[in-house]
Amino acid sequence: MAQNQYPESYRVITGPGQGEIVEKKSRFIASIMPVQSEEEALAFIEKIRKEHYAARHNCFAFIIGKKSELERCSDDGEPSGTAGRPMLEVLKGTGLTNVAAVVTRYFGGVLLGTGGLARAYTQSLQEGLNDCEIVTMRYGVSYTITADYTMTGKLQYIFAKRDITVEETEYTDVVRFHVTLAFDREEIMKKEVTEATGAKAVIEKTGDVYFVDKGGQS
């Protein structure tokens, strides 16, 4: 398969995040969660609504799919275009997908105007994103490499040099590494493992995967 035929990489958060700002006595609390489906996103939004049942607004935005196929947002009673859409644009600007965000507003008694509202919702969401770890998921392959114990150090050196992720290591009468790597590092990995072990290592491809790209160079 040619390189440009592989699925594109995408960005996700690894866990929840939260941020808060106060603007003219109104509290804006951003809650962010990784989600895998619209159902998960809606369940998260409902959870936040229940937690902040006394708040005047719980505006949301979410993006689902490796190619951001599904996008939804809501102003939840704020003037049209002042909350959900600006929040969605922030998420899109970061390149994130499989993410849901809710910004809860506790009204402080002072009107902010449409421009002020949009800024407050986007700033609070950005604060929440600053609390998140963002990683790139890259298309790649998984392998199992089986070798004698005496080859362990050489293999670990190759994995580290090529930014190959060791997902699991099994120690029995042999050592067995379960690894993931970018597809464009596949051939060099096989070549170097074969050379380092005198062709004694067993190299088995086990599938295609998405994995966290650590940003290494091949």
Side-chain angles (χ1 to χ4, degrees), residues 108-135:
V110 179
L111 297 177
L112 301 183
T114 56
L117 280 173
R119 284 192 297 274
Y121 277 100
T122 57
Q123 288 172 8
S124 57
L125 178 54
Q126 190 59 60
E127 286 295 317
L129 289 171
N130 290 342
D131 188 45
C132 295
E133 179 186 14
I134 298 175
V135 298

Side-chain angles (χ1 to χ4, degrees), residues 8-63:
E8 295 178 359
S9 60
Y10 60 98
R11 303 181 81 207
V12 297
I13 58 174
T14 61
Q18 191 169 75
E20 179 177 343
I21 68 167
V22 177
E23 185 68 25
K24 294 183 179 178
K25 299 182 180 180
S26 282
R27 289 178 64 205
F28 294 84
I29 305 168
S31 303
I32 308 170
M33 180 68 69
V35 293
Q36 298 299 318
S37 66
E38 183 174 14
E39 291 73 21
E40 282 189 23
L42 294 175
F44 169 66
I45 293 163
E46 186 59 27
K47 175 177 177 288
I48 298 300
R49 281 177 173 159
K50 289 179 178 178
E51 290 178 1
H52 295 283
Y53 64 90
R56 180 170 289 191
H57 306 282
N58 285 285
C59 305
F60 69 79
F62 62 83
I63 302 174

Side-chain angles (χ1 to χ4, degrees), residues 142-145 165-170 176-180 206:
S142 59
Y143 273 83
T144 296
I145 299 172
T165 301
V166 179
E167 304 289 353
E168 183 183 0
T169 306
E170 296 180 60
R176 185 172 289 110
F177 296 98
H178 300 277
V179 302
T180 54
T206 54

